[in-house]
Amino acid sequence: MRFKYALTLIFAPLMLCACQTTSFTYNPENREHSQLALVYLEQGPRSYANDYLAEIEYIWNEQGKELSGRLPYVSATFSTMKMQPGVYRIQAKCANAKYSGSVEGIFNFQSGGQYRVYCELKKDRNTLGFEVSTHVSLKLETLK
């Protein structure tokens, strides 16, 4: 009984950390917040959902430097990002109730722009002519 209680005390905080979301800000030049690009994310996966939702895993700048500093399975995922204008490579996990996988996209964020990053399901036809889901890609939608 004591062993189960000890395990609960150890793993409960880790599970809470893995489920939380946070905001990510990248602003090395200390620009005004109005000049930063604001990126909203759809978090996932949701139970019993068929649509794919994005969880940001890693972010790289144009020089290839990883910016997020996340640790797999431990660090919080990002619900919003404030980014200095520029080109970034983003790796996200696209997942729904049944499937998940990592995808990457390269995006150009403009000063003061508002964006939404989401996962888009691609469909093709199989050999019998039926429409089937083949892969998921990471997309960027401009909100303003």
Side-chain angles (χ1 to χ4, degrees):
M1 180 68 173
R2 289 182 189 164
F3 182 70
K4 288 182 183 179
Y5 181 71
L7 283 177
T8 303
L9 287 177
I10 292 170
F11 286 108
L14 290 175
M15 296 304 286
L16 289 174
C17 290
C19 296
Q20 69 185 12
T21 60
T22 186
S23 181
F24 173 76
T25 301
Y26 178 67
N27 189 12
E29 296 177 4
N30 293 320
R31 294 179 181 225
E32 291 183 29
H33 283 277
S34 63
Q35 293 181 349
L36 299 178
L38 182 59
V39 183
Y40 298 100
L41 303 166
E42 292 181 340
Q43 296 296 304
R46 294 180 296 196
S47 298
Y48 310 111
N50 289 322
D51 55 333
Y52 285 81
L53 299 177
E55 280 186 4
I56 299 300
E57 295 177 320
Y58 301 102
I59 304 163
W60 294 272
N61 64 10
E62 287 182 282
Q63 292 75 35
K65 180 182 176 192
E66 204 280 314
L67 306 174
S68 64
R70 288 191 68 248
L71 299 173
Y73 310 110
V74 179
S75 299
T77 57
F78 306 119
S79 57
T80 59
M81 297 187 310
K82 294 178 184 170
M83 306 292 290
Q84 183 172 298
V87 177
Y88 299 92
R89 182 169 56 116
I90 296 176
Q91 177 181 321
K93 180 173 81 172
C94 289
N96 68 6
K98 294 181 182 177
Y99 307 105
S100 71
S102 292
V103 295
E104 290 186 3
I106 297 175
F107 305 111
N108 185 6
F109 299 122
Q110 301 297 320
S111 178
Q114 291 188 5
Y115 305 93
R116 179 177 72 100
V117 172
Y118 63 97
C119 298
E120 181 178 77
L121 182 64
K122 298 287 186 181
K123 294 192 178 224
D124 280 326
R125 297 202 180 271
N126 66 10
T127 55
L128 299 175
F130 294 107
E131 196 171 78
V132 293
S133 302
T134 56
H135 64 280
V136 176
S137 61
L138 198 59
K139 294 289 185 174
L140 182 71
E141 176 186 17
T142 302
L143 300 176
K144 265 189 168 179

